[in-house]
Amino acid sequence: MGTESRSFGSWRLRGGRYEQHGLPVEVLAEFARYERLVVDVARGMYKQRHATRQRVPRGFASSFSLRLADIRAGSVIPVLERVVVESEALFDDEGSGIFDEARLAIQEALRSIEAGNGIPRTFPPHSLREFSRFGRSLQDGEFIQFDEGTSNSAVYSQAVRRSIHELARLDRFEIETLVSGQVVGVNADKGTFDFRLTRGSKVIPGHFSSDDVVADLKQYLDTSTMAPTVAISAVAIQSMSEEIVEIQDVLSVEPVLPSEWSDRLVELHTLEAGWLDGVGRQVSRKVLREVESLLLEFLDEQVQRPYVYPTEDGGVQLEWPFAVGEVTVTVTPKDFVEAYAFSKVDDRESDKTFQWRQLGEITDFVRRGIVEYGG
């Protein structure tokens, strides 16, 4: 397992005890708190960019590790390095860059708070509690200078930390993020709309300031549960529990699923009872919503596109056929998913039953099946 290290920003500890030689032992805990803060902010940023995901990728936190490589003179200058494990490059789309972005987002928030402008919209609000834990050991008159002499320079002091504590007590925050769901109502005259969230199916109020988005909202409008799932880039109100409670303004509207997938689900929805030579149950909206959730997960995890077929009992089967094997996933009308993989070469097979909400586990089964049985 090859590793390498590289610098992760720069610190200078100044004032009070830091004007003396050496580093107070109690300050060592701050580096662990800072590491947790960076991971927490990076996790929040990842979720903001991947609104359809229910979690960050497995191994996200463990892929980030800091080491105190040196302590230099000049007040106290700790040298932090990030350990990069080449064989654990888990995030091809993000790379290690999201942790550097998190570091800069922390410093941007410090500058904004010190200037009296509060937390930037793009800062993950749930990270404020982790933020308020960082800097416990700072005493009055002591501060941390980040990236001194650069455009990213920021100062963290007890006064700024007290402001973060106050902000962390707030119940709601305004953020810029992606919100996925369905447009189920539009009132162009009032500049409002109703939006059913993908997670939990809760309907929240929405507002828009530009008439340019009316056509986009109406394009995807459907009062039924078969409305296409879209991702709205929005200024939204989020609670500390990371729940979106209101959309303040719409920046853009985009479909989440590729049109051919959405069209196929609509086709299945239009099938009437008896569609298979007089037999064959109608596929319910509930089953189709569950299938859509799975397809969103597959899309997000870059699992190759399956063929989609109705089943006689009112379910939907997703198939990945190969010359040497096949993988199938059947979403049943009874809230469970049957997964099956088979090798035509040596007759090996694997099967498992999941609850339909176990999207990550189902995706892992499919990915393994494609590798092992797809040739």
Side-chain angles (χ1 to χ4, degrees):
M1 182 182 294
T3 62
E4 63 178 55
S5 297
R6 61 171 180 265
S7 62
F8 192 76
S10 68
W11 287 31
R12 182 189 290 267
L13 303 171
R14 309 186 74 164
R17 296 166 297 167
Y18 302 123
E19 300 304 322
Q20 305 171 34
H21 178 72
L23 182 69
V25 173
E26 69 243 36
V27 177
L28 294 174
E30 295 297 351
F31 302 112
R33 294 184 190 118
Y34 179 71
E35 183 181 67
R36 289 195 297 270
L37 174 59
V38 171
V39 171
D40 202 54
V41 173
R43 181 185 289 113
M45 294 171 68
Y46 188 93
K47 288 182 177 180
Q48 287 175 356
R49 297 173 187 178
H50 299 77
T52 59
R53 286 193 68 100
Q54 308 226 358
R55 66 194 184 288
V56 296
R58 190 173 289 113
F60 186 88
S62 61
S63 71
F64 180 76
S65 176
L66 289 178
R67 290 180 184 272
L68 181 60
D70 194 9
I71 299 176
R72 298 172 183 165
S75 298
V76 176
I77 304 176
V79 179
L80 290 181
E81 293 182 346
R82 183 190 172 197
V83 178
V84 181
V85 181
E86 294 296 342
S87 62
E88 295 179 0
L90 303 177
F91 316 113
D92 293 337
D93 60 333
E94 298 287 348
S96 61
I98 195 165
F99 296 106
D100 286 304
E101 290 180 46
R103 174 178 66 83
L104 296 178
I106 291 167
Q107 291 167 206
E108 179 188 5
L110 289 174
R111 291 194 299 273
S112 180
I113 293 169
E114 189 173 33
N117 297 324
I119 292 290
R121 284 178 176 173
T122 53
F123 189 86
H126 76 278
S127 298
L128 283 176
R129 286 180 178 161
E130 194 68 54
F131 210 159
S132 67
R133 297 184 181 106
F134 175 51
R136 285 179 183 173
S137 66
L138 285 175
Q139 299 178 2
D140 287 336
E142 297 177 346
F143 58 93
I144 304 172
Q145 177 83 50
F146 295 95
D147 290 347
E148 187 176 20
T150 74
S151 59
N152 298 315
S153 177
V155 173
Y156 192 36
S157 64
Q158 275 291 18
V160 174
R161 185 167 179 260
R162 282 191 287 270
S163 296
I164 292 173
H165 265 281
E166 291 300 318
L167 291 169
R169 294 192 184 103
L170 296 178
D171 294 327
R172 292 155 51 110
F173 294 85
E174 187 177 90
I175 64 170
E176 287 186 14
T177 188
L178 283 174
V179 187
S180 64
Q182 301 162 301
V183 180
V184 295
V186 177
N187 189 322
D189 293 336
K190 294 183 178 180
T192 62
F193 65 101
D194 298 318
F195 196 66
R196 182 189 293 121
L197 297 174
T198 299
R199 301 179 189 176
S201 299
K202 180 181 178 180
V203 177
I204 64 171
H207 309 267
F208 55 88
S209 58
S210 172
D211 292 337
D212 294 340
V213 304
V214 173
D216 291 332
L217 291 172
K218 286 187 173 180
Q219 176 185 353
Y220 301 110
L221 170 65
D222 191 333
T223 57
S224 77
T225 55
M226 282 309 299
T229 299
V230 297
I232 292 182
S233 177
V235 177
I237 301 298
Q238 185 183 58
S239 69
M240 283 298 295
S241 61
E242 301 185 55
E243 179 185 11
I244 300 296
V245 296
E246 185 178 347
I247 294 176
Q248 292 283 77
D249 201 3
V250 175
L251 307 178
S252 65
V253 185
E254 299 289 342
V256 175
L257 283 179
S259 59
E260 59 268 26
W261 288 13
S262 296
D263 292 345
R264 181 58 173 160
L265 294 184
V266 172
E267 287 177 16
L268 298 186
H269 178 58
T270 60
L271 290 176
E272 297 181 353
W275 57 269
L276 182 62
D277 296 327
V279 297
R281 295 181 180 177
Q282 187 176 33
V283 182
S284 69
R285 290 173 177 171
K286 178 176 174 294
V287 168
L288 291 172
R289 287 276 70 82
E290 293 171 0
V291 172
E292 183 185 56
S293 295
L294 260 179
L295 291 175
L296 287 170
E297 184 77 5
F298 293 155
L299 185 68
D300 197 42
E301 294 293 337
Q302 299 182 335
V303 174
Q304 67 189 76
R305 176 185 173 183
Y307 292 95
V308 183
Y309 302 105
T311 65
E312 186 177 336
D313 64 351
V316 173
Q317 183 165 291
L318 310 177
E319 296 183 5
W320 292 264
F322 304 98
V324 295
E326 65 180 39
V327 179
T328 63
V329 168
T330 303
V331 180
T332 74
K334 298 181 179 180
D335 283 339
F336 61 86
V337 175
E338 299 171 340
Y340 175 76
F342 171 71
S343 170
K344 299 176 184 177
V345 176
D346 55 14
D347 291 335
R348 284 183 303 122
E349 61 181 4
S350 176
D351 64 273
K352 192 167 183 180
T353 300
F354 301 91
Q355 295 296 317
W356 80 265
R357 293 184 184 277
Q358 295 177 277
L359 302 179
E361 290 85 346
I362 297 169
T363 301
D364 288 344
F365 181 96
V366 171
R367 184 183 285 110
R368 287 195 304 271
I370 290 174
V371 172
E372 296 178 18
Y373 301 95

